[in-house]
Amino acid sequence: MIDFQHRQGSHCESTAAASLLAHHGWPLSEAMCFGLASGLSFSYLPFVKIYGMPLVAYRALPGRIIARLRRRLKLPLRMQQFTDSAAGQVRLDALLAQGQPVGLQACIYWLPYIPENLRFHFNAHNLIIYGQQGDSYAVSDSVLEGTHRIARDDLQRARFVRGKLAPKGRLFYFSEDVAAQDIRGQIGPAIRQVAREMLQPALPWIGVKGIRFLGKQLGQLDAGIPTRETTRLLLHIVRMQEVIGTGGAGFRFLYAAFLQESAQFLQSEPLAHKAIELTAIGDAWRQFAVELARMAKGRAPLSPRLLQAAADGLAARETEFFRSLSALRTQLPGG
């Protein structure tokens, strides 16, 4: 067994990165890892289906947070995937035998220690394995308060499922310990990347354009009593926003925590004000989810015009926010 400190966090990927980083000598917060990785985003991709519905994402695509953090901080973080499940198992066992805690990507549905009401078919969940005894492994999973154990066969099934975002046995680990470094010069570039991707996306389904596109799709729904497909779409958006990971509003709160922590690092009062502003935007996203759920469940009349106006309002607020944040980052070190 490896002497590893379990962390419960808001989001599995950023918490896994923070936990491994702390184990190897550099205790950064989850929020700081998420922010330095430029993790905040928005995507509405009608051509990518999740549960038969368009993909709605409120952060960088799975895997990018760890990859961007590695690149920005020049971390000795190694990542591997496997075409053969047996090879993936051998590699995991070898790393554990070397005393290395290992991050894994897996399908949360096939993890038996997860309560049944929290399981769903999502292939990009991240967890950490930090020990092995016979055919069972010690698990640190950020969604739960304590640690757990999982049988080898169950872990293999979760690591090598097929479908969208198939993990292919993906694992990640630090090849050596890490010395703390001065991150003040990395905060500005990290903010610049998020602002650029939100305001000037390469595709019209990303960033603030994506939020407006979502609003346009909602505005084209038939008013009146929701059909089964309409109800599914509305509840799907709520689920993707508020249930899977930290959701849309939750990621806004997590990024606000990064801005607040960065303001303390840099002694920047304007940055602290931006953290408060983004928290208010997160509250507005939560209210948007409430309206979607009320209409889907028949507790309020279906109003496509109201939903589109709400989405457009969110897009306008995020446009103003990221423009002002981008202007502010030019005053920061490295910005």
Side-chain angles (χ1 to χ4, degrees):
M1 297 294 291
I2 300 166
D3 184 14
F4 180 82
Q5 183 176 354
H6 169 71
R7 288 188 180 190
Q8 189 175 19
S10 298
H11 174 238
C12 63
E13 189 175 346
S14 47
T15 303
S19 297
L20 287 177
L21 198 55
H23 179 81
H24 285 276
W26 190 9
L28 283 182
S29 70
E30 177 197 2
M32 184 57 67
C33 286
F34 182 78
L36 290 175
S38 302
L40 195 68
S41 186
F42 181 86
S43 304
Y44 181 77
L45 306 178
F47 46 85
V48 179
K49 301 297 183 181
I50 299 290
Y51 321 118
M53 290 284 152
L55 173 64
V56 189
Y58 300 81
R59 50 96 167 184
L61 294 178
R64 288 193 178 181
I65 290 174
I66 289 174
R68 288 176 173 181
L69 192 66
R70 177 184 66 170
R71 184 168 58 251
R72 178 152 282 133
L73 300 181
K74 297 180 174 57
L75 299 174
L77 186 64
R78 305 288 180 259
M79 295 181 283
Q80 290 180 266
Q81 287 184 310
F82 305 87
T83 56
D84 178 66
S85 61
Q89 178 182 306
V90 168
R91 182 57 175 155
L92 172 62
D93 292 350
L95 289 169
L96 292 172
Q98 296 169 16
Q100 287 277 16
V102 182
L104 300 179
Q105 181 180 327
C107 176
I108 195 171
Y109 182 84
W110 296 110
L111 299 173
Y113 60 82
I114 298 289
E116 288 190 19
N117 63 331
L118 296 180
R119 294 187 207 170
F120 50 94
H121 288 282
F122 179 62
N123 288 341
H125 184 61
N126 290 270
L127 54 96
I128 295 173
I129 300 295
Y130 67 95
Q132 179 184 6
Q133 290 181 337
D135 287 336
S136 72
Y137 296 85
V139 184
S140 171
D141 194 319
S142 64
V143 302
L144 300 175
E145 184 176 356
T147 59
H148 293 267
R149 300 197 69 82
I150 186 171
R152 183 193 301 273
D153 290 345
D154 291 329
L155 184 59
Q156 284 295 93
R157 170 183 280 184
R159 291 181 66 199
F160 288 94
V161 295
R162 298 182 180 181
K164 293 287 192 309
L165 304 174
K168 300 178 182 178
R170 181 175 182 266
L171 58 78
F172 48 96
Y173 63 96
F174 282 91
S175 60
E176 58 188 75
D177 285 343
V178 182
Q181 56 182 272
D182 186 353
I183 60 172
R184 288 176 294 179
Q186 300 300 331
I187 292 172
I191 289 174
R192 180 174 65 238
Q193 183 173 2
V194 165
R196 183 177 65 248
E197 292 178 355
M198 288 297 297
L199 297 173
Q200 300 172 328
L203 299 170
W205 309 283
I206 311 295
V208 293
K209 289 182 179 179
I211 300 173
R212 293 190 186 279
F213 182 72
L214 169 62
K216 182 179 179 180
Q217 297 298 106
L218 293 173
Q220 293 174 352
L221 297 174
D222 290 332
I225 300 175
T227 65
R228 185 170 180 228
E229 280 302 298
T230 296
T231 298
R232 283 190 65 215
L233 175 62
L234 299 183
L235 293 179
H236 170 73
I237 296 170
V238 173
R239 186 183 192 191
M240 295 297 289
Q241 179 178 317
E242 301 298 334
V243 179
I244 294 179
T246 57
F251 283 117
R252 269 62 190 163
F253 297 142
L254 186 57
Y255 197 78
F258 157 70
L259 294 177
Q260 180 64 49
E261 194 171 337
S262 298
Q264 295 171 359
F265 268 120
L266 302 174
Q267 295 295 297
S268 171
E269 187 174 345
L271 207 55
H273 287 310
K274 300 310 291 183
I276 296 172
E277 185 179 339
L278 186 57
T279 299
I281 292 174
D283 290 336
W285 273 106
R286 284 266 157 91
Q287 187 57 43
F288 178 63
V290 169
E291 293 302 321
L292 288 167
R294 290 178 70 237
M295 293 181 191
K297 295 183 177 182
R299 296 173 185 170
L302 175 62
S303 175
R305 181 180 298 178
L306 178 62
L307 293 178
Q308 182 172 4
D312 286 347
L314 286 166
R317 290 183 69 173
E318 295 216 353
T319 298
E320 181 181 356
F321 172 81
F322 284 107
R323 281 177 178 168
S324 59
L325 184 64
S326 182
L328 175 60
R329 58 88 187 165
T330 62
Q331 305 170 23
L332 305 178

